[in-house]
Amino acid sequence: NAANEEGLGCFIPSHRCIDNVLHRAAGPRLRESCRKALAAREKGCELLRPGTTPLVTPGHHLPCNHVLHVTGPCVPGGGRGRPTAEHTRQLQNCYRLCLDAAKEHDMKSIAFCCISTGLFGYPQDLAAATALSTVHEWLEEETNRAAALETIVFVTYLATDNAIYKDIMDRQRL
């Protein structure tokens, strides 16, 4: 889940962000699980800052066992701005820390939405390149990592996102 910093889901009724979609589908217990997970974080980490360790909650009514809630960086400019080196590092951490959490919780699969694109303003092509390269590097760092996860899915809701991911994977032979 590409969550906001509060980590409790979107509070705008009928908003079309992935945070709202997931919370609505999972049911109200997901928000309570997020609240408990936030309370359990160490002091000073009560918010989900960009690129910090994700919250891990049950999936409740979703067709999954867990939801990883992570906040990506917000790039000013509505998708036309240029991410800084810090934005890139934060986005890399989003993917890397989610993969670490999946491994730690013995998850066999993980599905990533397009973190930080859309309302968060990260240009789609740069976000996709960062996502794919970070996941590829994570898998290559240790041999047992690739065996830990059987399936990694990049969920693309827009045809443009799908084309961008496909183009990058074809060019880089991923």
Side-chain angles (χ1 to χ4, degrees):
N1 176 27
N4 57 37
E5 284 189 347
E6 287 76 29
L8 298 174
C10 177
F11 285 96
I12 303 170
S14 301
H15 196 239
R16 296 185 62 174
C17 66
I18 190 66
D19 197 16
N20 198 25
V21 170
L22 289 174
H23 274 267
R24 289 181 70 190
R29 290 186 300 164
L30 182 58
R31 185 164 282 147
E32 184 56 34
S33 292
C34 288
R35 188 174 281 111
K36 288 178 183 174
L38 283 165
R41 289 168 76 95
E42 56 185 82
K43 192 74 173 151
C45 295
E46 293 86 3
L47 293 177
L48 285 177
R49 300 279 184 215
T52 59
T53 304
L55 296 180
V56 180
T57 65
H60 297 289
H61 291 293
L62 293 169
C64 60
N65 294 327
H66 298 91
V67 177
L68 302 175
H69 307 264
V70 66
T71 300
C74 188
V75 177
R80 290 185 292 276
R82 300 304 296 173
T84 65
E86 179 65 9
H87 290 134
T88 301
R89 186 192 64 74
Q90 290 171 337
L91 188 58
Q92 290 168 332
N93 279 345
C94 287
Y95 288 97
R96 191 172 288 114
L97 293 171
C98 281
L99 291 163
D100 289 344
K103 183 180 175 198
E104 180 183 325
H105 287 84
D106 295 320
M107 296 175 199
K108 296 298 178 202
S109 63
I110 188 168
F112 287 111
C113 60
C114 297
I115 300 170
S116 280
T117 61
L119 297 173
F120 283 69
Y122 212 106
Q124 293 165 292
D125 57 336
L126 298 177
T130 297
L132 289 167
S133 65
T134 301
V135 169
H136 186 261
E137 289 167 11
W138 186 89
L139 289 169
E140 296 292 316
E141 285 173 4
E142 296 177 29
T143 53
N144 63 343
R145 283 187 172 167
L149 286 167
E150 296 170 4
T151 307
I152 299 172
V153 175
F154 293 94
V155 180
T156 55
Y157 293 99
L158 302 175
T160 53
D161 286 325
N162 193 52
I164 289 167
Y165 272 82
K166 184 175 180 344
D167 180 57
I168 293 169
M169 289 190 298
D170 288 347
R171 281 189 286 120
Q172 295 182 3
R173 301 187 190 277
L174 298 174

